[in-house]
Amino acid sequence: MQDCLFCKIVAGEIPSQKLFQDDDITAFRDINPAAPKHILVIPNRHIASINEASEQDQSLLGKLLLVANQIAEQEGLAEEGFRYVINTGSNGGQTVFHLHLHILGGRQLGWPPG
Ligand code: 5GP
Ligand code: ZN
């Protein structure tokens, strides 16, 4: 999609620190980390928000989670724990409207979120 920041990251038009990319999924480090480890995992195809996903995205969403698990393991987060976050819409704090899963870890995370 034109003018979508994360579509441009997928295409390599905007530089990012990529940890993983295949035909379906891309993972890269967040530019403004909220924790010692902060990685974004996204579908390459533009889906604006999780609530805009449909039945045809079922396997893609499953793969997104499995790739995230792989990255959490690779980044050394699996043993001590981590958090997945999908901010959705205005109240959810979503600022980039291309679906992304945050992986946050490397410190004790507070609950409930702000
Ligand atoms: P949201 O608030 O939509 O859930 O998360 C968007 C995330 O994208 C934020 O954590 C923000 O730091 C990150 N972000 C925004 N612009 C860029 C960018 O150009 N590159 C990277 N790597 N991350 C970005
Ligand atoms: Zn996009």
Side-chain angles (χ1 to χ4, degrees):
M1 196 200 176
Q2 265 184 340
D3 288 335
C4 169
L5 178 63
F6 286 178
C7 281
K8 288 181 178 165
I9 283 179
V10 169
E13 290 163 15
I14 289 177
S16 67
Q17 279 184 266
K18 284 186 183 142
L19 301 179
F20 176 90
Q21 184 160 48
D22 72 3
D23 288 344
D24 302 312
I25 305 285
T26 300
F28 53 97
R29 294 197 193 278
D30 197 290
I31 205 168
N32 183 24
K37 301 275 184 176
H38 188 172
I39 297 127
L40 302 173
V41 189
I42 71 173
N44 294 346
R45 187 159 57 75
H46 185 87
I47 300 171
S49 296
I50 189 66
N51 57 359
E52 294 196 11
S54 64
E55 209 166 322
Q56 66 164 26
D57 301 316
Q58 190 168 313
S59 64
L60 182 63
L61 295 176
K63 182 167 175 181
L64 187 91
L65 285 171
L66 293 175
V67 167
N69 282 353
Q70 216 175 286
I71 289 165
E73 172 77 39
Q74 247 171 247
E75 290 290 301
L77 301 174
E79 196 173 322
E80 293 201 317
F82 54 86
R83 187 172 294 164
Y84 291 155
V85 172
I86 301 179
N87 294 327
T88 304
S90 166
N91 272 4
Q94 186 176 6
T95 59
V96 177
F97 284 82
H98 179 131
L99 169 60
H100 49 282
L101 175 81
H102 296 257
I103 306 175
L104 294 154
R107 66 170 168 84
Q108 181 68 53
L109 299 167
W111 191 264

